[in-house]
Amino acid sequence: MTKAVSGFSKLSKDEKINWIANTHFSNPEEAIKTLKKYWNSDADLQKLHDEFIENTITNFYLPLGVAPNFLINGKNYTIPMAIEESSVVAAASKAAKFWSHRGGFKASVINSEKIGQVHFIYTGNKESLVQFIKEIKPKFFSETESLTKNMQKRGGGILDIELRDKTSELEDYYQLHVNFETKDSMGANFINSCLEQFAKTLKDEAQKSTLLSEEEKNIQVVMSILSNYVPNCIVRAEVSCLVSELKEDKHISQEEFAEKFIRAVQIAEVEPFRAVTHNKGIMNGIDAVVLATGNDFRAVEAGVHAYASRNGKYSSLSHAKVENGVFTFWMEIPLALGTVGGLTNLHPLVKMSMEMLGNPSAHELMQIVAVAGLAQNFAALRSLTTTGIQQGHMKMHLMNILNQFNANEEERKQVVKHFDKHTVSHSAVVAYLEEIRK
Ligand code: MEV
């Protein structure tokens, strides 16, 4: 066990690295070498990355891939994806190509409201509180004017402020539940700043109020923070074609494929164990684009999974049906994304990703991201209900195994050729490598 360290954040980067290397690694020199190997030779670029977080010691790379041929609302996109999982970009590209010949993806933003809350404790008479909040409501707006001025110019701002009585769930617990429109920014800073001002106004006005007794003036604000649950910030993505156009697999008819595919979706609708994996496949696509475009994938993940449980049971985010010979596959998900602010203006690769997408608005990005998720889900279900997932998965994983065993170029060529006709498994690849190395 290593000893605790004090004042670590005040050490220089080199001092931090030396401390870590000497206290956590059997070969400190090797550890320092590895950490430095990932530093960028451009000192300014490295400094930019160093300053994203505290205690940066090196960079942690993820591949940035692209999935071309995404036809969305009639417009062609090449979608950037930052992800480490071998088969995701290949699967997205395949699904994109498949649907580009069948009218492409349709996507639309249903609404884009964000939510923030001031959570507080009030022990007095409820009716007095209701009257007090009604009286000071204009103050919530006027005292945040300096914060909302610019947002209003862009068409956003505070939409509504509501007092919610939560005392049946927790004694004396109330909240200000606030709806915001934040246009092209994700809006976390804007929302949190407004909420902190509301909290201040709430406390200050309570002190002055004639509607509250001395005891009732003692409102205790517990916290003020945005919610990452955004059920009113919803985007829909959809594909459809005639069942006869599905032409899926030589071993299975179009009708059989459509039926099996829909069954697979229905299973995810009723069975949480399957729904989690089904939705994980959707998030493979979503997170990769969210990351590449500098958005907060943890916020998106939390919000999406909460939404998947909104009816009291965790369920599939996507749905499928056949009606009048038309196969339709769709999904509605909450996505709070930004195309201005945060990392979007700072990270050079995020800027490139945005440019690659044609510098989309937040609404357009919501559509692109949702489509990437739906495409990923389609690709996974297509494999699962036909060949099984492992065939494609292991083909992509082959490179990882070859890297693990330091295969040279010639060995790689031979192995790839051999496994074009043989089933890939870790042991089969190792055995074949050993055979050709003899
Ligand atoms: C793997 O990352 C994702 C899948 O498991 C998704 C699914 O099962 O639908 C293939």
Side-chain angles (χ1 to χ4, degrees), residues 207-398:
Q207 290 308 313
K208 293 185 230 158
S209 177
T210 53
L211 293 166
L212 304 176
S213 69
E214 278 314 301
E215 211 186 313
E216 285 172 335
K217 289 179 196 288
N218 189 24
I219 288 175
Q220 207 191 102
V221 172
V222 180
M223 58 191 158
S224 312
I225 187 75
L226 94 168
S227 172
N228 290 124
Y229 184 41
V230 283
N232 292 327
C233 188
I234 301 289
V235 55
R236 179 186 169 93
E238 179 186 312
V239 282
S240 67
C241 70
L242 291 172
V243 171
S244 58
E245 288 171 346
L246 277 171
K247 248 199 277 144
E248 190 29 42
D249 189 280
K250 52 183 182 295
H251 305 295
I252 176 173
S253 72
Q254 289 99 318
E255 289 75 18
E256 258 180 293
F257 170 69
E259 198 177 307
K260 218 171 159 197
F261 189 99
I262 291 170
R263 276 271 177 267
V265 175
Q266 287 169 338
I267 289 170
E269 284 168 346
V270 300
E271 165 54 51
F273 280 93
R274 173 57 202 153
V276 171
T277 317
H278 177 97
N279 291 345
K280 188 271 182 187
I282 293 173
M283 299 316 286
N284 276 345
I286 290 184
D287 282 345
V289 192
V290 167
L291 253 177
T293 56
N295 276 279
D296 182 344
F297 66 92
R298 287 87 55 211
V300 167
E301 282 277 349
V304 166
H305 295 298
Y307 189 73
S309 324
R310 69 193 178 285
N311 297 323
K313 181 176 165 185
Y314 191 88
S315 179
S316 168
L317 292 160
S318 62
H319 309 281
K321 65 177 180 187
V322 169
E323 252 172 35
N324 304 323
V326 177
F327 169 84
T328 308
F329 178 48
W330 76 98
M331 164 172 97
E332 283 178 11
I333 51 158
L335 282 179
L337 301 177
T339 53
V340 297
L343 269 198
T344 47
N345 305 335
L346 273 180
H347 197 300
L349 288 175
V350 168
K351 280 199 239 175
M352 278 192 76
S353 294
M354 288 297 188
E355 195 173 341
M356 203 187 298
L357 292 172
N359 290 321
S361 65
H363 278 202
E364 193 178 351
L365 185 62
M366 284 167 78
Q367 297 174 8
I368 295 166
V369 170
V371 162
L374 191 74
Q376 207 61 45
N377 193 209
F378 179 80
L381 293 178
R382 182 167 63 163
S383 299
L384 285 168
T385 55
T386 56
T387 56
I389 205 78
Q390 281 310 84
Q391 187 179 305
H393 233 66
M394 290 311 286
K395 276 240 154 77
M396 294 305 299
H397 191 54
L398 185 56

